[in-house]
Structure formats: structure tokens, C-alpha cells
Amino acid sequence: MVQNFRQAFWNEPMVFELGNNRRRGFILPKAEETIQREIGEIDKLIPSNIRRTKPPKLPQLSEVEVVRHYTRLSQMNYGVDLGFYPLGSCTMKYNPKINEVLAELPGITMIHPYQNEETVQGILEVLYWLERWLAEITGMYEVCLQPAAGAHAEFLGALIMRAYHKLNGDETKRSELIVPDSAHGTNPASGTMAGFKIVVVPSDNEGCVDLKALKEAVSEHTAGLMLTNPNTLGIFERNIEEIAKIIHSSGGLLYYDGANLNAILGKVRPGDMGFDIVHINIHKTFGTPHGGGGPGAGPIGVSEQLAKFLPIPRIVFDGNRYRLDYNRPYSVGKIRSFYGNVAVLLKAYAYILSLGAEGLEQIAEVSVLNANYLVKKLRGIKGLTLPYDEAKPRKHECVFSAERLKKQTGISALHIAKRLLDYGFHAPTIYFPLIVKEALMIEPTESFEKETLDKFAETMRKIVKEAYENPEKLLKAPENTAVPRVDEVKASHPRTMTLSWKMYQQKLKEMRNNY
Ligand SMILES: *Cc1c(COP(=O)(O)O)cnc(C)c1O
């Protein structure tokens, strides 16, 4: 049965508009005289031009008022804890709460990166072993945890490629980085930032790298190839060993974009496929929160010959103590302050430890099963097609096209995505990969059960039926969400966005003046 959905809507004022300035939300006890004197001393250390002359205008709210405010706001939000979230390529899986509990322990939150390494042996041990586990999982020699995201790791990977070719006296000659036309936009962007010229190779009829085109693209100018496997169509690049041979025999390096690692966890390792550099999106594969541009982590793994280029410091273990090693003359330098996003990394450590080797393998099995189950349920819906060999099994995700539906009804992938919100589902990724017109990229992950997948498939069927029978309805969607249909352009334009309380106040003033 298609579910009814109506997202909570609260006409909620901002926290600064709540409360009453004649009330006090909280009264701090008066500090003892010695402490008052100390605070006075500290105050004097702050230069007068940046010292506050008036107390800040904090909202005066009691604890329960604050709780109500944020609870109401949380009901206007949507997340994996609330429902299906098939945002393709992003692996929006459930983040177990035990990970959050561990990352909030005072032993974790109260340590400081400037502490002497002797006093932070515990976290160094966690990070050291996380590096070792990720090396084992990906089949790489050494792993570095510093990059803050996949794109950040791609940039680092490109720098490592440069350093490698430079050491071979090849830096200026090897100026080209090859990426397939199915690649994520960050691949060419990171390569360009690192100074490479991007060479795009097309996909063949089966949705894989076209080997003939790859051979033609490769030359003595090739620095390397960036590839994700399975690729963004959810199809496993079966010729990966051949691809590795082509790249390596030309003197280039093979970079693995690990965004799709979920599909092959414990089954096959990028290192064994021939990749020299691998990144892991911790916030995708390893169950840590993801989204809103918040902190993630994108550890990078390399083969033995590239280990000397990794960022410093490296965490080393002498059999007794952990310490930070800065003595790496070939290192590309630092890519991020301190050790990376430690709280996120700790959650991944907990996730791996709680699942174990068998559990990790089951992730791959169930996520692939779920994706192929959805393929079976969605295939044959009038107006939708599954480009690139319908009969071929997918890995963790599938990409449908609404091109035919658009031609017949005017209803596009965007309209389907918006209408799904009305039925209480997060939208799939749309218009990516670029090689599929009107793309709907669906990744169910392992976190959702058959009943939810059935409901989603039935809802998709219903929406397509609406497209043929009552397209007007879809043009207005979503109507059941806290925030109804937004103007696509205005919603992402910096001039119309109100990002702070100050901007909001300014806008209110302007609006009042205009009326
Ligand atoms: C998410 C993603 C990236 C970028 O990773 P971030 O961690 O978001 O920077 C790169 N490639 C693919 C295929 C992705 O899905």
C-alpha cells in the first residue's frame, strides 16, 4: 500500500525571537572571589578592541523551551532514521547509535590535538589500527586518515601521482589524467586542481570503460586513470585487470574512487584489482553521518611504492608505544590539520569492530541484493527504462531513465523526485551520471527491509501512472512537506539565501522599507 505522508509543519520562530528579555533563562552562581580575580586577569589579556563591551543578546529561554524548539524543528527534517533514503552514489545507510555514544565519551571529546603524544596513546592506538584495518579491507599497503572527504582524497591522490612522476623525472611530460565519462564531477575537478589536463574516455554499450578508446587515450603523457568500480551505473568493470595493464604499461597510476566500496566489501579488494591509490568515503561505507556538508572522512590507501609520499605525520608503533613520525622526506606534506576528523574516524572504528569481517561481507551481499530486487520491481514500469543492458545484474545501485516518460507526458526525473517527497521518501539522485538522460540513480543500501522496498516500488508505479493521467498534480509537488516546492534557481542563489540572523534582520528591515 502506498503510504500517506504529511510532514510536520511548525510556524516556528527563530530561537532569538522566543523568550522574553525581562526573564533570565539561567542564572549562573556568583563565582568565588579568587576565580573572579583570575577571570579579571584573563580579561586583561584580551586586546581592548576585540573585547565585548556589552553582554551578548542571548535568547532567555528555559531548558524545556529550548528542547521544544529543537524538537519541533527536527520534525520538519528528514533523515535515514525516519525513512527510505535512496540517494544514489551517497550510500545513505543507517548510522548505528552505539558509534555516537562512543564518540561522545569524555576520553575522546576532552583530548586536544596539541597534547603530548605520550598522553594520547589510546586515540593513537585507535587510529593506528583503523589504518591497518582499512589497508586490509582495501588491499593496500599503507593508509592515511587525514583527508576530510572523498574529493579531498582525490586531490591528495593526484598530488601523490605528481610526486611519483616527479621522482621519476617525468613530471612535466605526464600531464594528463584520464577519467571515464561516467565519473563523478569531483574526479575531473580534483585532477584539474592538482594541475592535470583531463582526458575523458567514453563508456561502451555495456556501460563499462571502452577499452579501445582507453588504449587510444593512453600515451607517454598519461599520469594516471581515476575510476570507480562498480561504476556509477552500478555495473562492475569486469575488464579491470586489462584496464590496470593498459595504464601500468604506459607508466601511469590507477586511482580508485572508493565511493562505491559498499558493493564489494569483503568480496574483492581494489588493491587486488591493480589499483595503486584508493580512497574510502567513511561517511558512505562505514556508517558515519553524512550530509549538510558536515565533517566526513576520506582516508587514502596506497601501494608500497607510494607509501613514502603520504602526508605527515604518520602514526607509527614500535611494539610498545605509538608516536608521530614527521621524518618522511618524500611526503607531499600536510593535507589537513592534525590527524583528520577524529570523531568521525572513531565511529568508523566502532562500526568495523561491531560488524567484524563477516558483517562487512554481509553489507555487500544485502546492498547488492536490495538493489537488484528494486531493479526487478521497477523494470517494466511504462515510461521508465534501464539503460545499458537491462538484463545485466547491478551491484549496489541502479540508474533508470525517465526520458521516455518525459517525451510522452512532459514529466521529468525532477518531477518524479519531487513527487516522491509527497509520499514520504527521500528522492533518489537525479541527472547523474551524466551519460544517462533524465537519470534516476537509486541506491537502497543494506539498511532497508523488503517491505520498504516494496512500498517504494509501488509508489514509483503510482507516480508514473499519475504522470499519464494527471500530470498537473506532479507539477505542483511536493505539497505534503514542511517546505513546499521551492524555486530551483532562487533556492541556491546566494543573493536570495538568508544564512544568518544578521542577514535575516537586514532583510526584514529592507522588506519593511519597501512596503
Ligand atoms: C560521493 C562521491 C565522491 C566524492 O566524495 P565526497 O566524500 O562527497 O567528497 C566521488 N565519487 C563518487 C562516485 C561519489 O559518489
Side-chain angles (χ1 to χ4, degrees), residues 107-108 110-127 315 321-322 324 339:
I108 301 297
M110 300 305 278
I111 53 176
H112 193 279
Y114 276 133
Q115 254 173 267
N116 185 310
E117 61 196 46
E118 275 305 311
T119 67
V120 286
Q121 285 291 305
I123 195 69
L124 289 181
E125 181 176 348
V126 164
L127 298 177
I315 303 168
R321 310 296 289 168
Y322 296 87
L324 299 173
Y339 320 109

Side-chain angles (χ1 to χ4, degrees), residues 88-91 148-154 182-187 228 230-232 257-260 279-284 290 296-298 397 432 441 443:
S89 214
C90 293
T91 316
H152 197 192
E154 290 164 22
S182 60
H184 192 262
T186 52
N187 292 185
T228 181
N231 62 28
T232 59
D257 173 343
N260 297 340
H279 87 234
I280 300 149
N281 306 65
I282 291 292
H283 42 287
K284 294 182 181 174
H290 178 167
E397 66 194 355
F432 173 69
M441 186 193 213
E443 180 181 11

Side-chain angles (χ1 to χ4, degrees), residues 468-515:
Y468 285 103
E469 292 170 2
N470 187 8
E472 290 298 307
K473 188 86 190 149
L474 272 79
L475 298 178
K476 279 186 273 169
E479 295 178 300
N480 302 339
T481 46
V483 178
R485 193 179 185 88
V486 289
D487 183 305
E488 293 290 313
V489 179
K490 276 191 190 156
S492 58
H493 198 291
R495 276 185 68 90
T496 49
M497 282 197 283
T498 308
L499 299 174
S500 68
W501 170 247
K502 267 190 195 157
M503 282 173 78
Y504 176 67
Q505 290 291 300
Q506 182 61 33
K507 275 216 174 131
L508 272 187
K509 221 196 266 168
E510 281 169 23
M511 268 163 59
R512 282 191 194 120
N513 289 345
N514 286 345
Y515 283 115

Side-chain angles (χ1 to χ4, degrees), residues 93-361:
K93 60 168 72 175
Y94 174 62
N95 306 148
K97 300 295 169 255
I98 181 76
N99 304 348
E100 305 295 327
V101 173
L102 293 173
E104 276 169 18
L105 292 177
I108 301 297
T109 53
M110 300 305 278
I111 53 176
H112 193 279
Y114 276 133
Q115 254 173 267
N116 185 310
E117 61 196 46
E118 275 305 311
T119 67
V120 286
Q121 285 291 305
I123 195 69
L124 289 181
E125 181 176 348
V126 164
L127 298 177
Y128 177 87
W129 285 104
L130 181 60
E131 283 187 357
R132 293 313 315 147
W133 293 346
L134 294 176
E136 176 65 26
I137 289 168
T138 54
M140 304 313 286
Y141 183 74
E142 264 191 45
V143 166
C144 163
L145 303 173
Q146 272 186 34
H152 197 192
E154 290 164 22
F155 176 65
L156 170 60
L159 293 183
I160 291 175
M161 282 188 191
R162 283 184 71 115
Y164 167 81
H165 293 307
K166 190 173 178 181
L167 200 63
N168 292 340
D170 250 4
E171 191 196 8
T172 43
K173 196 175 79 182
R174 300 224 170 243
S175 57
E176 295 178 353
L177 186 68
I178 303 175
V179 297
D181 61 358
S182 60
H184 192 262
T186 52
N187 292 185
S190 319
T192 304
M193 274 181 71
F196 288 113
K197 187 180 154 229
I198 304 302
V199 176
V200 178
V201 288
S203 306
D204 63 15
N205 294 337
E206 304 214 322
C208 293
V209 170
D210 186 325
L211 286 186
K212 197 165 152 279
L214 180 65
K215 281 180 193 152
E216 280 161 15
V218 161
S219 73
E220 78 270 18
H221 298 299
T222 302
L225 167 74
M226 264 191 190
L227 188 70
T228 181
N229 196 16
N231 62 28
T232 59
L233 294 166
I235 296 173
F236 192 81
E237 299 274 356
R238 234 184 310 172
N239 298 319
I240 184 59
E241 286 171 319
E242 170 84 19
I243 292 171
K245 218 184 276 168
I246 295 170
I247 295 300
H248 288 149
S249 60
S250 81
L253 295 170
L254 199 55
Y255 184 98
Y256 182 80
D257 173 343
N260 297 340
L261 186 67
N262 214 52
I264 57 166
L265 266 187
K267 296 291 177 189
V268 54
R269 309 188 305 171
D272 300 333
M273 294 183 218
F275 284 94
D276 306 285
I277 312 173
V278 170
H279 87 234
I280 300 149
N281 306 65
I282 291 292
H283 42 287
K284 294 182 181 174
T285 312
F286 292 101
T288 69
H290 178 167
I300 196 165
V302 292
S303 62
E304 190 173 0
Q305 64 166 349
L306 300 177
K308 58 175 174 284
F309 301 114
L310 285 176
I312 46 170
R314 304 288 305 130
I315 303 168
V316 292
F317 182 50
D318 64 11
N320 188 26
R321 310 296 289 168
Y322 296 87
R323 70 183 173 78
L324 299 173
D325 181 12
Y326 286 86
N327 187 17
R328 295 251 176 157
Y330 293 100
S331 167
V332 295
K334 254 181 156 327
I335 192 84
R336 199 182 179 282
S337 52
F338 307 115
Y339 320 109
N341 283 330
V342 169
V344 175
L345 294 165
L346 185 101
K347 289 174 200 178
Y349 177 91
Y351 187 68
I352 295 172
L353 199 60
S354 60
L355 283 163
E358 259 175 50
L360 292 181
E361 212 175 324

